[in-house]
Amino acid sequence: MSPETLAAQALGQADPVTGALAPAITLATNYEQHPDGSYPQDRVYTRADNPTSEHAERLLAALEGGGCACALFASGMAAATAVFQSLLPGDHVLVSRVLYWGVRKWLAEFALAWGMDVEFTDTTDLAAVAAAIRPGRTRLLWVETPANPMWEITDLAAVCELAHAAGARVAVDNTVATPVLTRPFEFGADIVVHSVSKYLNGHSDVLAGAVLSARRDPFWERIRSWRRNAGAMPGPFEAWLLQRGMRTLFLRVHRSSQTALAIATHFREHPALTAVLYPGLPDHPGHAIAARQMDGGFGGMLSIRLAGGAGHAKAVLREVRVFKRATSLGGVESLIEHRRSGEGPSSPVPDDLLRLSVGIESRNDLIADLEAALEDGVPR
Ligand SMILES: Cc1ncc(COP(=O)(O)O)c(C=O)c1O
């Protein structure tokens, strides 16, 4: 069956006990042991084993493809940090220079202190990646594409080839593209990470994450062991909401992508803007790679840079009526955010930038809202 069908039917298996089409939610924390010491279906305690999580994991694994394994985590950050924490002190890791700031902040605050040798590099520049990889020492290349909040595009097939030639794994944060648009395992990735709080759930009401692995190898077992022993499992209700959200994933992601492209195209020449950053625009530096690597759209995320600088950006933020002023991304409602304010003074994000997460509302309403806000927000 195609991924769309698997998603719409949440794998399409009725509950074996009740025949219910919508899956049950198992809230139990523990499972009864047989007199001989064994456990039915090998489930012991919910920090490791929960059928509701396992159902959502099977569905997400089917969407990412390639026979991969999947483990849900309590948040996208819990998922991302589980990958780094499964490495060893002294391991050299290369990380995209432009990426979600929470990952950068955690690496700077914790990974360095624990002796991880973290190096940031421009993963859109293959020569820079090749020069930064240390054969035999680099254990992991961490890539986000499209990367927050400039939406830079990394060529996954090319960086996987470089990393693998040097014996390093590649982990891809696929939160923004989702498996609807990009399946990193098809390009050679070893690990895929998601904040499922974003598009996969899609309704801004779940905090959870996921790690997927192309192979059930010792590194994967370490990640699973980290989840169990550090207690990074999500609750069953989050897992249940996630499987429900994923049923409409394809519709939502395609709609958001179409509307984001329409907004980017509409505003690209707007006199109040110096740039519209969106990989779907032909003049975006990563457009050709994105067109190869993203199938069916360029995603629902874009950023705009204001000619009037930070003051104008904040004025536009005050004027919007349809876009909601809020952080995060990937929900059904459109959001607008001044990232620099949220990230603080150490942020490399330009002060004149507003990040837009495009939802599924009427594109005309969104365009008219931004048009009016740009006009009303012009500094006089
Ligand atoms: C690309 C990306 N990765 C990871 C995360 C972290 O996810 P969470 O907020 O679920 O911990 C986010 C959150 O904004 C994100 O945008």
Side-chain angles (χ1 to χ4, degrees), residues 75-77 100 144 148 173 175 195 197-198 207-208 329:
S75 67
M77 284 308 300
Y100 169 58
E144 187 181 313
N148 248 299
D173 184 333
T175 300
S195 166
S197 325
K198 316 300 179 192
L207 182 75
L329 58 101

Side-chain angles (χ1 to χ4, degrees), residues 72-135:
L72 292 189
F73 280 80
S75 67
M77 284 308 300
T81 56
V83 176
F84 290 108
Q85 280 162 320
S86 298
L87 296 166
L88 295 173
D91 281 352
H92 178 241
V93 300
L94 273 180
V95 181
S96 287
R97 193 196 45 172
V98 172
L99 84 162
Y100 169 58
W101 80 290
V103 173
R104 184 172 354 94
K105 192 167 180 329
W106 183 86
L107 288 168
E109 268 182 35
F110 295 100
L112 289 175
W114 289 338
M116 195 166 286
D117 187 359
V118 182
E119 186 177 340
F120 292 93
T121 191
D122 179 358
T123 54
T124 68
D125 178 348
L126 296 179
V129 175
I133 288 177
R134 300 183 209 156

